[in-house]
Amino acid sequence: MAKGKAKTTPAPQPPARTAAASTSTTTTPSWPPFKPPLPVADLELETVVKDKVVVLRSFFPRSLCRDYVSFLKTLPLTTTPGKPKRGMALRVNDRFQVEDPTFAHRLWTETGLKDALTQTDMSSLWGGELIGLNPNIRVYRYLKGHFFDAHYDDSNNVTVTTPPEEGGQSQQQQGKTTWTLLLYLTSSAEGCVGGETVFYPHDRRSAKEEIAVSPDTGMLLLHKHGDDCMLHEGREVLAGEKWILRTDLCIKR
Ligand SMILES: O=C(O)CCC(=O)C(=O)O
Ligand SMILES: [Fe+2]
């Protein structure tokens, strides 16, 4: 548990943490190209919760989200068993997970994300010097009735690999994840009802205090994790499908 969380955990069950990468696929997917060239809009950070949650709208255009969902459907997604391990959040969804440093690097450098997050000095916001994205890429599909129960996301130590320039060598840097990155690939525009990502600023599940972010096709959401992670959940999908891509921001360790 993160510092100071134990005393504020809601009864009867303490909010769980999420598992670090466990079952990763070894072959990397042939991710669709970023077409049209990205970014398609000025990537502006919109604050949802000061210093804790920001969103960037139209990170992916709708057409690209559609291409991605069509492609992701072909991946071997596995349904999470309903019964979590002790201390883990109950999560019911279909998921695919892969270690793919090349794709993580492309998402970081070929989408405008790196520029948007580093053009002004925001190192105090991110917790240090951003060096890239977690190579552990996760794809979640929530069907009707699927949800991700309230939990905190952990910070993890990872290696960030920069692919070789022509004839050169790849570069490896030791990093630490500090913010969760969620890219929503569907929303109500595609018939997804429910599935909001809900944050609870005071570490208790309270309808009065909740901050619910509705999926918005192509929107990127970033939230601080580790010791300062807010209790949050992926609310139940009531109709349609919620697709998200998950990775994390990494700072130099
Ligand atoms: O699906 C969501 O909205 C939340 C996902 C989440 O909390 C996670 O991946 O840790
Ligand atoms: Fe989470």
Side-chain angles (χ1 to χ4, degrees):
M1 298 293 282
K3 69 166 162 41
K5 288 278 153 61
K7 58 180 185 303
T8 53
T9 49
Q13 290 287 310
R17 307 202 70 95
T18 54
S22 50
T23 49
S24 282
T25 306
T26 43
T27 51
T28 55
S30 306
W31 306 98
F34 298 141
K35 245 184 21 203
L38 301 179
V40 288
D42 264 350
L43 296 181
E44 272 181 49
L45 270 69
E46 254 176 66
T47 300
V48 178
V49 179
K50 193 175 179 302
D51 298 331
K52 295 277 185 127
V53 186
V54 299
V55 294
L56 290 91
R57 289 182 200 274
S58 304
F59 179 71
F60 268 22
R62 283 243 180 108
S63 56
L64 186 58
C65 293
R66 230 177 1 247
D67 290 351
Y68 264 73
V69 171
S70 306
F71 171 73
L72 299 177
K73 282 182 177 165
T74 68
L75 297 176
L77 290 117
T78 52
T79 304
T80 306
K83 199 168 164 5
K85 286 193 198 130
R86 231 178 135 82
M88 293 298 167
L90 177 59
R91 171 166 54 80
V92 184
N93 61 15
D94 301 326
R95 140 196 270 227
F96 173 83
Q97 181 165 243
V98 66
E99 285 293 314
D100 194 339
T102 307
F103 184 62
H105 182 72
R106 285 184 50 215
L107 261 182
W108 179 237
T109 58
E110 295 176 18
T111 56
L113 185 61
K114 179 183 179 183
D115 293 337
L117 305 189
T118 59
Q119 63 198 358
T120 58
D121 182 15
M122 290 181 270
S123 51
S124 65
L125 182 63
W126 309 127
E129 184 195 336
L130 286 177
I131 54 168
L133 300 178
N134 188 347
N136 183 235
I137 308 289
R138 281 149 278 182
V139 173
Y140 297 152
R141 173 180 61 195
Y142 297 80
L143 301 173
K144 183 174 186 295
H146 286 181
F147 62 94
F148 198 155
D149 216 346
H151 64 279
Y152 300 100
D153 294 352
D154 277 330
S155 166
N156 289 295
N157 288 341
V158 295
T159 303
V160 175
T161 307
T162 306
E165 309 257 323
E166 282 152 54
Q169 289 206 316
S170 68
Q171 225 195 55
Q172 299 209 318
Q173 276 185 292
Q174 297 314 306
K176 180 182 130 180
T177 68
T178 54
W179 285 59
T180 297
L181 180 158
L182 302 176
L183 171 56
Y184 300 92
L185 297 169
T186 56
S187 68
S188 59
E190 287 76 31
C192 172
V193 181
E196 298 86 354
T197 306
V198 184
F199 295 92
Y200 298 102
H202 302 294
D203 290 339
R204 54 176 179 247
R205 267 174 119 172
S206 148
K208 261 203 293 210
E209 295 165 357
E210 72 179 37
I211 295 155
V213 179
S214 294
D216 178 8
T217 309
M219 180 175 81
L220 195 87
L221 178 144
L222 299 166
H223 76 83
K224 197 169 190 182
H225 71 208
D227 286 355
D228 293 328
C229 190
M230 260 193 280
L231 183 65
H232 64 283
E233 66 186 358
R235 195 165 270 167
E236 183 180 343
V237 168
L238 304 172
E241 297 183 5
K242 171 183 169 189
W243 283 86
I244 57 175
L245 216 128
R246 152 103 199 252
T247 173
D248 311 284
L249 299 185
C250 297
I251 59 159
K252 200 174 188 167
R253 170 150 51 99

